[in-house]
Amino acid sequence: MDPIHQFALHPVVSILVAGHDVSLTNSGLYMLLAVALACLLVALGARGGSGVPGRMQAMAEMAYEFIAGMVRSAAGEAGMRFFPLVFCIFFFIVICNLIGIIPYSFTVTSQIIVTAAFALLVFFTVVIVGIKDHGLHFFKVFVPPDVPIYILPLVVAIEVFSFFVRPVSHSVRLFANMLAGHITLNVFGSFVVMLLGAGALIKAFAVLPFLMTIGLFGLELLVAFLQAYVFAMLTCMYLNDALHPGGH
């Protein structure tokens, strides 16, 4: 069985505009599904009245406090202006990750173009907001405080390089974790099918990869939330540079 086949893109609805193919692919379909689910969950959570909050309202309030606490801890109170951005990124990623665990579904975050788009959105937001709010003082982000003058050029060069590499590391971390996890699940699941199709004596050994598959599935559930958290936390840390360049 080909473990890479699950990441293949194919058109769901073929659309041609002026000779250009703008078809809705399986990736686009699952992205629309993730957006719809996120909107539905938030809408249900916001329906609570003045009495005792229901389960959905309690979950919505917990999600709000969780993301708000993340933003405040990484970017300060001023970072709350970016709360809607971080909230949307976190929930979109976590829902896409969870949908991708369902058998025969599609994992949107296993596509580098999707994770790179989010990483570039954060990167350009930092640059535009930083220059808009601080002007040339934004470039203090490349000059760490209390650095001896004789190594300052080297440190600045390293900081500039690391700053522009951020979108790469930011996007590849999520993409690689989701890709590797789903490939591993597929491989161990294939072992189970292959052993069950063998002789009666060998079938007994199918329980080993089956138990491993269950364990990996549980791990993937944890990774689905963890990678969304890491991506959102790094977003907050990068946005802090736009608000407080140079740590000031």
Side-chain angles (χ1 to χ4, degrees), residues 191-231:
F191 286 161
V192 176
V193 175
M194 291 168 61
L195 291 173
L196 288 176
L201 182 62
I202 299 178
K203 284 183 180 181
F205 291 99
V207 68
L208 298 177
F210 178 71
L211 292 175
M212 182 62 73
T213 302
I214 294 176
L216 287 171
F217 188 85
L219 181 61
E220 279 299 290
L221 280 174
L222 174 63
V223 170
F225 287 97
L226 182 61
Q227 287 304 315
Y229 172 78
V230 170
F231 197 97

Side-chain angles (χ1 to χ4, degrees), residues 64 67 71 79-91:
Y64 175 89
I67 303 299
V71 174
M80 286 301 291
R81 63 192 283 199
F82 298 109
F83 173 84
L85 174 65
V86 179
F87 187 88
C88 291
I89 287 176
F90 175 82
F91 269 92

Side-chain angles (χ1 to χ4, degrees), residues 112 115-116 119 167-178 231:
I112 185 65
T115 59
V168 178
S169 61
H170 202 185
S171 59
V172 169
R173 182 181 289 105
L174 174 59
F175 151 74
N177 275 280
M178 301 312 298
F231 197 97

